[in-house]
């Protein structure tokens, strides 16, 4: 791994048992969603429905753990849902999962199939190391509102991912900023899988391996490195 990822002691104390796994991929070929990436999403939706067996996503133990984590830093988990729950609810709705692009489809499929938050960042747009911290409220978050570029700030005490240029994702994994988002031009990317107990390290590793396999299928010849849970 060439990108340094750190989790602050404050976050570790706030939510014990948090682990993450990074998948770094270079030489990717992205583009609009196609039959292969759509099939990954369809299969993920089928696996999700089988896993939940009629239950709502918030009844899953891992999603419930994320709800508790959001509550711990002051977020309302029914209003600002973690990314795994939000995607799962879309997968179960009539419209199904959105098709974004080949790479985003691949990591969204893993998120839904394993009910785990998965994020994707364009490596070439990240500035310095990435850190998961408790926000002071002064950090800049570059985003868009009504089609206009603007800068917001996280709430004091909010858990955020950031790099040297500012916040990359607010409320842990709730809302990613456009600055580092994967788009059709992305060739180098970081994928971050985030787990809480009761998800085991073995389950986290299996999700990472599945993502790596999907990336290899979509981009033969890409250089993919899967890290260990941290």
């Amino acid at each position: 791994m060439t990108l340094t990822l750190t989790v602050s002691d404050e976050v570790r104390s706030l939510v014990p048992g948090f682990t993450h796994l990074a998948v770094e991929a270079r030489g990717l070929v992205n583009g609009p969603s196609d039959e292969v990436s759509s099939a990954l999403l369809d299969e993920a939706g089928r696996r999700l429905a089988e896993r939940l067996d009629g239950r709502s996503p918030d009844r899953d133990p891992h999603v419930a753990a994320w709800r508790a984590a959001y509550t711990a830093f002051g977020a309302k988990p029914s209003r600002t849902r973690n990314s795994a729950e939000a995607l799962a609810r879309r997968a179960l709705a009539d419209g199904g999962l959105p098709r974004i692009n080949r790479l985003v489809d691949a990591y969204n499929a893993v998120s839904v199939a394993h009910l785990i938050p998965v994020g994707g960042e364009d490596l070439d747009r990240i500035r310095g190391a990435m850190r998961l911290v408790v926000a002071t409220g002064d950090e800049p978050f570059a985003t868009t509102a009504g089609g206009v570029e603007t800068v917001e700030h996280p709430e004091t005490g909010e858990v955020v991912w950031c790099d040297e240029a500012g916040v990359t994702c607010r409320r842990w994994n709730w809302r990613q900023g456009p600055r580092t988002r994967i788009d059709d031009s992305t060739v180098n990317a970081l994928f971050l899988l985030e787990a809480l107990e009761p998800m085991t390290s073995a389950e986290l590793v299996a999700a990472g391996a599945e993502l790596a396999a999907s990336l290899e299928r979509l981009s033969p010849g890409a250089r993919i490195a899967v890290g260990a849970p941290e």
Side-chain angles (χ1 to χ4, degrees):
M1 290 287 170
T2 59
L3 180 70
T4 300
L5 297 165
T6 58
V7 179
S8 74
D9 291 341
E10 282 184 292
V11 173
R12 296 283 191 195
S13 297
L14 185 68
V15 185
F18 169 69
T19 56
H20 65 278
L21 181 148
V23 177
E24 193 171 298
R26 297 180 180 274
L28 296 166
V29 178
N30 202 13
S33 302
D34 58 16
E35 290 184 2
V36 175
S37 68
S38 290
L40 292 174
L41 292 172
D42 289 340
E43 173 63 11
R46 185 196 64 76
R47 289 164 64 186
L48 173 69
E50 184 177 276
R51 172 175 176 155
L52 292 175
D53 191 24
R55 295 174 299 152
S56 61
D58 59 285
R59 305 302 296 173
D60 181 87
H62 194 225
V63 173
W66 275 104
R67 283 181 153 244
Y70 270 48
T71 299
F73 67 81
K76 296 184 184 299
S78 293
R79 187 172 66 187
T80 55
R81 294 187 173 98
N82 68 84
S83 65
E85 181 180 353
L87 268 180
R89 287 178 177 273
R90 295 194 71 173
L92 297 171
D94 290 341
L97 286 165
R99 271 55 175 167
I100 308 298
N101 58 52
R102 299 168 82 235
L103 296 180
V104 174
D105 291 352
Y107 79 74
N108 279 350
V110 169
S111 176
V112 167
H114 293 265
L115 269 180
I116 179 174
V118 182
E121 307 281 356
D122 189 309
L123 271 172
D124 298 324
R125 298 172 188 165
I126 295 172
R127 298 294 172 256
M130 289 189 67
R131 297 167 290 123
L132 185 66
V133 301
V134 174
T136 64
D138 296 326
E139 299 88 348
F141 177 66
T143 185
T144 57
V148 178
E149 293 184 3
T150 186
V151 175
E152 299 176 355
H153 299 276
E155 297 175 5
T156 301
E158 185 179 320
V159 176
V160 297
W161 278 103
C162 59
D163 63 6
E164 292 180 3
V167 173
T168 57
C169 194
R170 287 196 57 188
R171 293 178 187 161
W172 212 316
N173 46 49
W174 166 67
R175 181 182 173 197
Q176 184 186 27
R179 175 171 61 87
T180 58
R181 186 178 297 157
I182 290 174
D183 60 23
D184 287 1
S185 66
T186 297
V187 294
N188 303 311
L190 172 78
F191 303 91
L192 191 62
L193 293 75
E194 301 180 295
L196 296 171
E197 296 175 349
M199 176 171 273
T200 66
S201 292
E203 290 171 325
L204 179 58
V205 168
E210 183 175 323
L211 176 57
S214 293
L215 295 174
E216 290 170 354
R217 182 182 178 190
L218 291 167
S219 298
R223 303 180 304 281
I224 301 170
V226 181
E230 295 183 24

